[in-house]
Amino acid sequence: MFPKEVYWQRRKLLRDMVGEGVILFPGNEESSMNYKDNTYRFRQDSNFLYFFGIDKPGLYGSCDVDEGEDILYGDDFTMSDIIWMGEQPRVKDLAGKAGAKNSATSEALAADLKRALQAGRQLHIMPPYRGDQIIALSGLLGIACEKVSSYISEELIRAVVKLRSVKDVHEIGEIEKAVEVAGIMHTTAMKMGFPGNYESELAGAIEGIALSHGGGVPFPVILSMNGQILHNHDHGNELEEGRMVVCDAGAETAMCYGSDITRTFPVGGKFSNRQKEIYNIVLKAHTETIRETSPGKTYREVHLMAAKIIAEGLIGLGIMKGDVDEAVAAGAHALFFPHGLGHMLGLDTHDMEGLGEDFVGYTDTIVRSEQFGLAYLRMGKELEKGFVITNEPGIYFIPDLIKQWKADRKLEQFIDYAKAESYLDFGGIRIEDDILITASGSRILGTPIPKTVEEVEETMHS
Ligand code: GLY
Ligand code: MN
């Protein structure tokens, strides 16, 4: 955990921003896999972690805005728990670690909530996302499950987004640690990228590296020769010469901060000329937009810059045609780059996505576009010092999408469909790093991970 003052200060800022009422943060419970006592790896709720820091199930945190006090609720372990799980800290001691003066039992939580609601006080909760959490809240509040959402507080969401968006030195340190582990994962995958190995062997080896460093993976490993499928969790293929592997994977630290890195490498360790041409367009979109990433710019501008570099490169190869600015304005590049340039990163891979993406990535004036491709941009708003975001452009040849656009004669003034169809067996390429917005620009977090054609090929043969 961070020093207890960190959590105390975060809650104080939150209470000041929310103004009145009682804020309730339910921690997560264990989640059963195939029978009750056989559980998935426990993952604490990220908001609970941010404000109370305790990575254990069965807890609730409350911040009484009017009284200026915070309470950690939970029950001490019984002897039978201790027999199976060893000695456990008492809730009172956990509260102390989180800088909260008060702790109480789960029974007291029900009574305290009832009293607050009877007194007409406002209760603020975040959007619940687990079924058991909704059922528990329904029991605590004495209302039907469908009514629980009526306590979701926009004031609370906006305040939490404001606080969690700007990372402090402790958090940046954690994310950098997660990037270091991801570096080992990615170079290991590259070195295993030879014909005869199975995707599952690479995926298993790198997930093992994340686990061996004390955390796990913050999202299921994406690793496939079918890189044109953006989030491919299927690892059943044997690696074949002539194909490329897209590996999108990160590590989570013991404190649950994560990294999110993507590299693409050629099976066998040597890019073909055709692969190199596309790879270098993606790399240019990645490196040039990072150079242009700074406070005050909107990430939508930076995304569109990447889109132009991609469209320009594809026009150079004869896959697209026409005027670059007009093609990007029409969204023609999105046939090959159908997703956003990046998202916030922190305790969640898509940081705070559970609070509502538009609260995180957009404002009242910078609203999400409805255009295909641009609509998937999670982060469009102005960048601020302390934001951590990903930069992850890609070029993909998605056979079904190309065929459908061609049949619809969609934007045919900007796309040479005959040429595009000669790439239907190509797959995809994505390159991703994690970026901190600094006072004057930005920097890539962590030790550089091989990225140029030469660096990737050299790593594969080292
Ligand atoms: N790494 C998964 C994603 O960015 O969506
Ligand atoms: Mn990402």
Side-chain angles (χ1 to χ4, degrees):
M1 282 177 71
F2 297 138
K4 61 178 189 283
E5 293 75 19
V6 170
Y7 302 104
W8 183 85
Q9 179 68 13
R10 287 174 179 175
R11 294 192 304 265
K12 178 175 178 340
L13 289 171
L14 181 70
R15 282 192 259 103
D16 290 348
M17 287 160 90
V18 169
E20 63 171 333
V22 178
I23 305 165
L24 183 67
F25 290 111
N28 277 341
E29 299 290 344
E30 295 279 14
S31 183
S32 298
M33 221 158 38
N34 51 341
Y35 50 91
K36 186 180 169 296
D37 285 346
N38 200 34
T39 57
Y40 292 103
R41 186 171 79 92
F42 175 69
R43 178 52 158 85
Q44 184 57 288
D45 173 73
S46 297
N47 293 305
F48 188 87
L49 279 174
Y50 186 81
F51 291 104
F52 287 86
I54 303 160
D55 192 10
K56 290 188 177 299
L59 300 168
Y60 285 78
S62 84
C63 304
D64 188 320
V65 179
D66 309 307
E67 300 295 326
E69 68 180 24
D70 309 317
I71 305 175
L72 182 72
Y73 291 96
D75 297 321
D76 286 332
F77 278 69
T78 62
M79 183 50 73
S80 76
D81 293 324
I82 291 167
I83 290 167
W84 291 98
M85 300 167 64
E87 206 180 332
Q88 300 293 321
R90 289 174 311 160
V91 175
K92 181 171 176 290
D93 299 328
L94 293 173
K97 287 190 174 173
K101 285 205 194 81
N102 307 300
S103 65
T105 62
S106 56
E107 204 178 326
L109 170 63
D112 288 354
L113 284 176
K114 193 167 170 197
R115 202 173 315 115
L117 292 176
Q118 276 171 353
R121 300 182 65 200
Q122 193 179 352
L123 178 68
H124 305 266
I125 64 167
M126 308 295 284
Y129 53 92
R130 286 191 179 191
D132 63 344
Q133 208 174 46
I134 296 171
I135 293 168
L137 285 167
S138 127
L140 280 169
L141 302 172
I143 53 174
C145 285
E146 306 81 69
K147 293 275 178 349
V148 168
S149 60
S150 64
Y151 288 97
I152 296 171
S153 158
E154 191 173 319
E155 260 169 303
L156 176 62
I157 290 171
R158 288 188 186 278
V160 171
V161 168
K162 206 160 177 45
L163 290 170
R164 281 184 56 188
S165 293
V166 177
K167 272 61 182 181
D168 66 19
V169 287
H170 301 284
E171 297 181 284
I172 294 163
E174 282 295 309
I175 299 171
E176 287 213 274
K177 274 196 244 167
V179 175
E180 294 304 322
V181 179
I184 304 171
M185 294 163 69
H186 281 275
T187 50
T188 300
M190 286 176 195
K191 289 175 191 177
M192 294 177 72
F194 287 84
N197 284 339
Y198 277 77
E199 294 166 341
S200 55
E201 293 176 281
L202 279 64
I206 67 174
E207 183 158 349
I209 291 169
L211 286 165
S212 72
H213 281 80
V217 289
F219 56 92
V221 169
I222 296 161
L223 185 146
S224 174
M225 290 190 300
N226 290 312
Q228 76 283 3
I229 301 169
L230 303 185
H231 281 177
N232 198 338
H233 296 132
D234 185 44
H235 311 302
N237 298 307
E238 185 178 344
L239 299 188
E240 286 166 20
E241 194 85 44
R243 312 273 310 265
M244 288 175 294
V245 173
V246 169
C247 176
D248 180 344
E252 200 167 73
T253 65
M255 290 187 62
C256 297
Y257 284 86
S259 50
D260 181 10
I261 304 285
T262 307
R263 290 292 184 268
T264 305
F265 50 87
V267 176
K270 186 104 190 92
F271 285 99
S272 69
N273 283 338
R274 193 167 84 132
Q275 290 169 342
K276 231 185 277 185
E277 284 169 348
I278 302 288
Y279 190 93
N280 282 328
I281 299 170
V282 179
L283 185 63
K284 185 174 178 198
H286 174 74
T287 52
E288 293 202 357
T289 53
I290 292 173
R291 259 202 298 278
E292 293 299 321
T293 298
S294 60
K297 291 218 172 96
T298 67
Y299 212 40
R300 180 156 61 195
E301 281 174 74
V302 184
H303 168 90
L304 289 171
M305 209 180 293
K308 275 190 194 166
I309 294 168
I310 285 171
E312 211 166 48
L314 293 176
I315 289 170
L317 293 177
I319 298 167
M320 288 182 68
K321 56 188 180 178
D323 178 77
V324 175
D325 292 328
E326 286 174 19
V328 169
H333 63 283
L335 176 57
F336 309 103
F337 173 36
H339 60 72
L341 185 62
H343 49 83
M344 283 214 182
L345 178 73
L347 282 163
D348 307 309
T349 303
H350 296 164
D351 208 24
M352 299 172 278
E353 186 173 301
L355 280 62
E357 262 186 5
D358 286 357
F359 287 119
V360 180
Y362 290 90
T363 65
D364 294 341
T365 49
I366 302 171
V367 294
R368 188 187 285 264
S369 162
E370 287 179 2
Q371 186 186 67
F372 174 75
L374 194 51
Y376 289 127
L377 177 64
R378 300 177 195 282
M379 172 72 192
K381 72 184 180 189
E382 197 171 298
L383 300 169
E384 291 176 35
K385 177 173 177 272
F387 284 7
V388 175
I389 49 172
T390 65
N391 179 301
E392 49 180 310
I395 294 180
Y396 314 87
F397 293 89
I398 305 169
D400 288 341
L401 188 64
I402 293 171
K403 285 180 201 157
Q404 192 201 310
W405 278 40
K406 184 187 175 196
D408 296 345
R409 305 183 65 176
K410 192 165 169 183
L411 298 172
E412 61 184 359
Q413 67 275 37
F414 299 118
I415 293 154
D416 185 326
Y417 282 107
K419 184 82 182 180
E421 279 181 331
S422 69
Y423 282 79
L424 291 184
D425 61 349
F426 186 88
I429 291 173
R430 178 163 65 250
I431 303 172
E432 175 178 26
D433 270 332
D434 302 336
I435 315 292
L436 170 68
I437 309 300
T438 61
S440 57
S442 63
R443 78 172 170 89
I444 299 175
L445 290 172
T447 307
I449 302 167
K451 194 153 65 179
T452 63
V453 162
E454 296 74 26
E455 287 164 357
V456 170
E457 289 182 349
E458 195 182 307
T459 304
M460 293 186 73
H461 291 288
S462 65

